[in-house]
Amino acid sequence: MFRTALRNVLAHKARLLMTVLAVMLGVAFVSGTLVFTDTLGQAFRNQSAKSYDDVAVAVTMYPSAEEARKTPGLSQQDVDKVAKLDGVTSVTPRVDGFAGVPDKNGKLIGVGWSNKGTNFAPGKDGKDRAYAFVAGNGPNQADQIALDRDTADKGGYKVGDTVRVATTGPVKEYELSGVFTTEDGAVNAGGSLVVFDNAVAQKLYLKPGFYRDMTVTAAPGANDGKLLDEVLKVVPKSATAQTGKALAEQQAKDIEAGLGALNQVLLGFAGIALFVGIFLISNTFTMLVAQRTKELALMRAVGASRKQITRSVLAEAGLVGLLASAVGYVLGIGLAVSLRSAMSAFEMKVPGGGLVLTATPAVSAFAVGVLITMLAAWLPGRRAAKIPPVAAMSSVHATESTKSLVVRNSIGAAFSALGAVLIVLGAGQGGDEGRMLIAGGAFLALIGVIVLIPFLSRPVIAVIRPVFVNLFGVSGKLAGLNAVRNPRRTGATASALAIGLTLVTGLSVLGATVGTALDKATTDQIKADYMVTTASGDSLSPEALTALEKAPGVTAISPQQAGAFELKGDYTSVSGVTPGAIEKVLKLDVVKGSLSSLGGNTIAVDDDVATKRGLKVGDSVPVEYLDKQKGKLTVGAVYKANEFVSPVLADHELVTAHEEKAEIRQIFVSAEGGASAANERALAKAMGDNPAITVMDHKDIRDSFGGPINLMLNIMYGLLGMALIIAVLGVVNTLAMSVFERQQEIGMLRAIGLDRRRVKRMVRLEAVVISVFGALVGIGLGSFLGWAIGETIREEIPGYVLVLPWDRIGIFLVLAALVGVLASLWPARSAAKLNMLSAIKAE
């Protein structure tokens, strides 16, 4: 039986090639993902271990807001105390924050969150062990800095050049004293590292004389655990400390956790490919078994048992899966190498190190590939074994019993109904629990629809068939009839496209709906022409507000300054704004009172706070500020809650007076003549062409809010691309075998006058009908899921209204039709080239 299985595999190489390709794609993603994350994880772990190789103890201090007023960090006295401990050879204190460097065109090098500044902390030898200088040396004057080599190369800077550096304050110019290499995480993430003189860094990022953390180097033979105990005795109680080894292990765990998200995304691609591939594999073996019914019956007649027949089909599947897994594993290694190169292309540095090939990816690749293939082939093999020899010899194609169809459709209907109920319940409940119900319901509904899809093929194709008949005549009519001749086969072929389009349509509906709501919120609620923020997400300096107020053409300006105070017994977040200007830059719906009263000790509260605290216009409310001063504020207006400001509005000067540091998140600016290149340039110039400050118009604001949504959509469109590839393979396979089975029929059609051109058209239209059918099923289910998920976030997004992206849905249908056309090229050509007489005589 094994020899028979091997001969069958060799006899159907072309047809089984499609199955090999489908399995190969899934296996490649599984093995490639595991190899890539193993390689990346090992490289980062090695880098982490290297970074803390000579660190015995690391100390960090993040005091509470109250403690920070007295002791914002580790003092120089704390550093000196640790340095005097027995067994300590050196102590390196650090303080850091945002620092950005522009290139020659004034564009920020790196991404805001990965642009970092820190202090130069030389030891007794005048060197800082964290930096290996390749040119010049560390900064030893207030007007000097050093840069990492990548940033210097990107900016075209060399030692002695003047470099503009942006921090949270105004842009300043420094002399470049040196260029270094480092293992710092910011640089490895594709960012930049600016090293300042120690006193300058302290002043910029904390307070003169204080540090955020320090690392301790121990003498040879010293016990790190004992040294840790001694360090904890002399540092402030709010400081945390751990050994260098523990810190390296913790960073390794953090790296693995960070890579886990990437791992899940890539494995998601693999899962989709394999899930879709199951239908292609099952379809392939179903058709192969159907075409060999007489052969299998003869084997039964000469003594082969049912189990042997099933094992023979499974052996074929095992051989195919083994071949696909081997090729997929090799491609997976190539994929891992490509992903690593892609990270470098996106300026994300990956630490050096060789490719890590462990047993896990290899075992997973072969286990997944072989098991998936054999699982998909098990049902066709089992069905073949159950056909009685006499019945099989008398008919090439065994028909399904009415009972089996009823059972199949009943199961599919039950799964679909239960899934739909869970989805509707989840939409009604909302929140995380609702989304969990929807996820479970979506899985059940998808399984149910896939089971029901042969039953659905007849009514759905009956609806779209008249279009093809009207446009293409006889070829269109024959194509529609052929598409429903074998509903099980048509359904299995269409399932690949249906699954992909369910996922993509669902997210497209959700993305379009949320995007429209965000656009509406931006357009309706922001009157200002510009919103000014920092690239790093840090707060803007008061100097930036002052500079913008003096910019030419500015007609109204207000900050959105974050603050808080205790109002009527409860702490409440506050937005510090400019009285008289806030209503000109933001649309605030006033319920009672007037925003013109805002200023001094008069505040405005939103309707939620007014209801919860029992406040009304004219009330005098006791307040305690963060600096513990107390006073009274008067409510001058009540407005509807707005996501661009906090529940309480106050004069920004009042907020600043009780805060140690102004936390200005955004500045809204209206300019004479509206948004224009000239006005944008004037604002940028007013802030000293600071590369770390972003001036956004309405389009930029919408893009910033919609960025994560667009990223998710792009990922899902990648999944659609994979589903399309597998769908093409499935349609090619189905049509090729269908043409083979219908040789006599095609020969007769040719004999009665259907020319080659119409034969080609018939096969092509059959492929288009199947593809469009799968697309319609996927779009319908995906739209339903998009609506349900949207209902769970309705309360979180003001102005939420369901939007169906008809333009994208149209594109999906066109792509589905294109899939059918491409998949039919080879089968249609083969059908048209059949010799009429030979085809009529074929069995």
Side-chain angles (χ1 to χ4, degrees):
M1 295 302 291
F2 179 77
R3 287 197 300 271
T4 302
L6 182 59
R7 283 198 301 270
N8 284 324
V9 169
L10 295 175
H12 301 96
K13 295 188 291 290
R15 296 169 199 170
L16 289 172
L17 177 63
M18 306 301 173
T19 296
V20 170
L21 290 173
V23 178
M24 184 184 70
L25 281 173
V27 169
F29 269 95
V30 170
S31 57
T33 296
L34 295 175
V35 170
F36 174 67
T37 51
D38 283 348
T39 300
L40 210 60
Q42 186 61 48
F44 279 116
R45 281 191 292 271
N46 291 341
Q47 180 194 61
S48 178
K50 183 179 177 181
S51 299
Y52 294 100
D53 189 41
D54 57 350
V55 174
V57 177
V59 183
T60 304
M61 184 174 175
Y62 286 96
S64 64
E66 187 174 345
E67 291 175 322
R69 292 188 180 88
K70 298 178 180 178
T71 309
L74 297 165
S75 66
Q76 185 61 51
Q77 290 77 13
D78 296 327
V79 175
D80 293 339
K81 287 178 184 178
V82 173
K84 293 176 182 178
L85 294 174
D86 290 337
V88 174
T89 57
S90 66
V91 178
T92 305
R94 296 285 181 208
V95 62
D96 55 47
F98 170 78
V101 175
D103 58 19
K104 295 298 184 181
N105 297 319
K107 185 179 178 182
L108 187 69
I109 297 174
V111 186
W113 60 267
S114 62
N115 293 335
K116 179 181 169 184
T118 188
N119 61 307
F120 185 61
K124 295 178 181 178
D125 59 356
K127 296 180 180 179
D128 190 325
R129 60 187 177 80
Y131 315 114
F133 281 86
V134 295
N137 47 53
N140 52 31
Q141 296 179 21
D143 62 348
Q144 291 182 335
I145 60 163
L147 288 176
D148 67 275
R149 182 164 60 185
D150 287 347
T151 301
D153 290 343
K154 291 173 186 175
Y157 297 115
K158 59 183 183 297
V159 174
D161 284 353
T162 298
V163 182
R164 299 174 70 245
V165 180
T167 56
T168 54
V171 177
K172 292 185 179 180
E173 294 185 344
Y174 298 86
E175 178 191 348
L176 183 61
S177 66
V179 177
F180 56 85
T181 59
T182 180
E183 295 295 331
D184 189 276
V187 177
N188 287 319
S192 61
L193 181 61
V194 181
V195 176
F196 296 93
D197 174 69
N198 187 63
V200 172
Q202 288 179 321
K203 184 178 180 181
L204 281 172
Y205 299 125
L206 203 58
K207 192 175 182 180
F210 289 91
Y211 303 94
R212 181 62 63 207
D213 51 56
M214 61 178 162
T215 54
V216 181
T217 304
N223 184 289
D224 291 353
K226 291 182 179 179
L227 187 57
L228 174 62
D229 294 336
E230 295 300 317
V231 169
L232 286 171
K233 292 177 182 178
V234 298
V235 297
K237 291 182 179 180
S238 57
T240 58
Q242 57 187 138
T243 63
K245 183 180 179 181
L247 189 60
E249 291 175 353
Q250 181 60 49
Q251 283 207 355
K253 290 179 181 178
D254 292 341
I255 290 166
E256 289 180 2
L259 292 174
L262 177 62
N263 201 24
Q264 290 173 5
V265 170
L266 294 176
L267 286 176
F269 276 80
I272 293 294
L274 291 169
F275 186 58
V276 173
I278 285 176
F279 300 99
L280 171 56
I281 299 164
S282 181
N283 211 17
T284 301
F285 278 94
T286 297
M287 289 185 283
L288 286 174
V289 167
Q291 291 173 7
R292 289 161 42 207
T293 306
K294 282 189 175 181
E295 173 193 328
L296 295 173
L298 183 60
M299 292 173 66
R300 288 288 312 281
V302 298
S305 66
R306 288 185 176 184
K307 289 183 178 180
Q308 285 179 309
I309 296 295
T310 303
R311 285 198 295 265
S312 174
V313 176
L314 290 178
E316 292 178 42
L319 290 171
V320 171
L322 196 63
L323 174 62
S325 299
V327 178
Y329 177 65
V330 174
L331 286 178
I333 295 174
L335 177 64
V337 174
S338 300
L339 286 172
R340 188 168 179 174
S341 301
M343 290 185 72
S344 300
F346 283 102
E347 298 185 348
M348 295 179 65
K349 290 186 65 179
V350 180
L355 204 64
V356 177
L357 298 176
T358 62
T360 302
V363 171
S364 300
F366 282 91
V368 167
V370 174
L371 288 176
I372 287 292
T373 311
M374 294 181 70
L375 176 65
W378 178 72
L379 276 177
R382 187 170 176 270
R383 281 197 299 267
K386 291 173 68 176
I387 300 173
V390 175
M393 286 182 182
S394 64
S395 176
V396 176
H397 304 292
T399 58
E400 291 185 275
S401 67
T402 303
K403 179 182 177 182
S404 69
L405 290 174
V406 170
V407 171
R408 177 191 179 108
N409 293 337
S410 299
I411 293 173
F415 270 83
S416 300
L418 180 59
V421 169
L422 288 177
I423 291 170
V424 172
L425 287 175
Q429 182 166 341
D432 291 336
E433 293 182 4
R435 286 187 280 274
M436 289 296 291
L437 284 174
I438 291 172
F443 177 76
L444 292 175
L446 194 58
I447 296 297
V449 168
I450 289 169
V451 174
L452 273 178
I453 209 167
F455 172 75
L456 296 174
S457 63
R458 291 186 184 277
V460 174
I461 291 177
V463 172
I464 62 178
R465 187 167 57 206
V467 177
F468 289 87
V469 174
N470 293 331
L471 291 176
F472 304 104
V474 174
S475 297
K477 182 177 182 179
L478 290 172
L481 293 172
N482 288 333
V484 294
R485 176 180 293 183
N486 191 327
R488 183 192 290 272
R489 184 184 301 174
T490 297
T493 305
S495 294
L497 205 56
I499 293 168
L501 279 171
T502 295
L503 297 172
V504 176
T505 303
L507 195 62
S508 293
V509 169
L510 189 62
T513 301
V514 174
T516 301
L518 292 176
D519 285 352
K520 190 173 184 296
T522 303
T523 304
D524 291 354
Q525 298 185 36
I526 299 181
K527 292 183 180 179
D529 299 310
Y530 298 101
M531 184 173 78
V532 181
T533 62
T534 62
S536 63
D538 293 329
S539 59
L540 291 153
S541 68
E543 289 89 343
L545 177 61
T546 303
L548 287 170
E549 288 173 339
K550 297 177 180 178
V554 172
T555 57
I557 182 171
S558 175
Q560 200 286 91
Q561 181 176 334
F565 47 62
E566 188 178 293
L567 187 70
K568 207 174 180 180
D570 290 318
Y571 272 99
T572 307
S573 60
V574 180
S575 285
V577 299
T578 301
I582 186 62
E583 60 266 38
K584 297 178 182 177
V585 296
L586 289 179
K587 182 180 180 181
L588 298 171
D589 294 328
V590 178
V591 179
K592 290 183 180 179
S594 173
L595 289 177
S596 61
S597 64
L598 192 64
N601 290 324
T602 302
I603 60 173
V605 299
D606 70 19
D607 49 359
D608 290 338
V609 169
T611 301
K612 291 176 183 177
R613 309 280 173 87
L615 301 176
K616 60 183 183 298
V617 173
D619 283 355
S620 181
V621 188
V623 62
E624 182 176 326
Y625 302 101
L626 290 179
D627 59 2
K628 299 303 179 182
Q629 291 189 31
K630 297 182 179 180
K632 284 193 175 182
L633 298 175
T634 302
V635 177
V638 176
Y639 60 93
K640 287 186 178 180
N642 186 299
E643 64 267 25
F644 287 99
V645 292
S646 298
V648 176
L649 298 182
D651 189 332
H652 74 92
E653 292 184 357
L654 173 67
V655 176
T656 301
H658 298 282
E659 297 279 350
E660 186 174 349
K661 182 181 178 182
E663 296 285 341
I664 301 176
R665 299 302 184 190
Q666 300 101 16
I667 299 175
F668 295 97
V669 182
S670 290
E672 188 177 350
S676 67
N679 283 334
E680 186 172 338
R681 176 65 193 141
L683 295 179
K685 187 176 181 181
M687 292 180 293
D689 289 322
N690 190 328
I693 295 180
T694 306
V695 179
M696 296 190 290
D697 58 19
H698 278 229
K699 181 180 180 302
D700 295 328
I701 297 170
R702 288 195 298 269
D703 291 344
S704 68
F705 287 131
I709 297 172
N710 293 331
L711 177 61
M712 290 181 67
L713 282 174
N714 290 334
I715 291 173
M716 295 306 293
Y717 290 151
L719 288 177
L720 172 61
M722 183 177 297
L724 286 175
I725 292 172
I726 297 176
V728 168
L729 298 177
V731 177
V732 169
N733 225 18
T734 298
L735 290 178
M737 293 191 177
S738 181
V739 167
F740 176 78
E741 291 174 356
R742 291 168 14 215
Q743 288 184 70
Q744 266 190 344
E745 177 186 315
I746 293 171
M748 290 295 295
L749 289 171
R750 290 289 315 282
I752 63 174
L754 197 68
D755 58 21
R756 290 185 173 181
R757 181 173 59 85
R758 289 182 178 178
V759 170
K760 284 184 180 180
R761 183 183 295 170
M762 175 186 71
V763 177
R764 286 173 184 164
L765 291 176
E766 183 179 345
V768 171
V769 168
I770 294 172
S771 298
V772 171
F773 163 57
L776 289 173
V777 172
I779 289 170
L781 183 55
S783 299
F784 179 48
L785 289 176
W787 162 80
I789 297 171
E791 289 297 304
T792 66
I793 59 174
R794 172 185 288 274
E795 299 300 324
E796 302 169 21
I797 301 177
Y800 182 96
V801 178
L802 180 68
V803 176
L804 291 177
W806 294 110
D807 53 343
R808 296 180 192 175
I809 289 174
I811 291 172
F812 296 157
L813 286 172
V814 171
L815 284 175
L818 184 60
V819 163
V821 173
L822 293 175
S824 66
L825 292 178
W826 174 54
R829 187 169 177 270
S830 300
K833 289 176 66 177
L834 285 175
N835 182 281
M836 281 186 286
L837 295 178
S838 299
I840 291 172
K841 291 190 296 181
E843 292 190 12

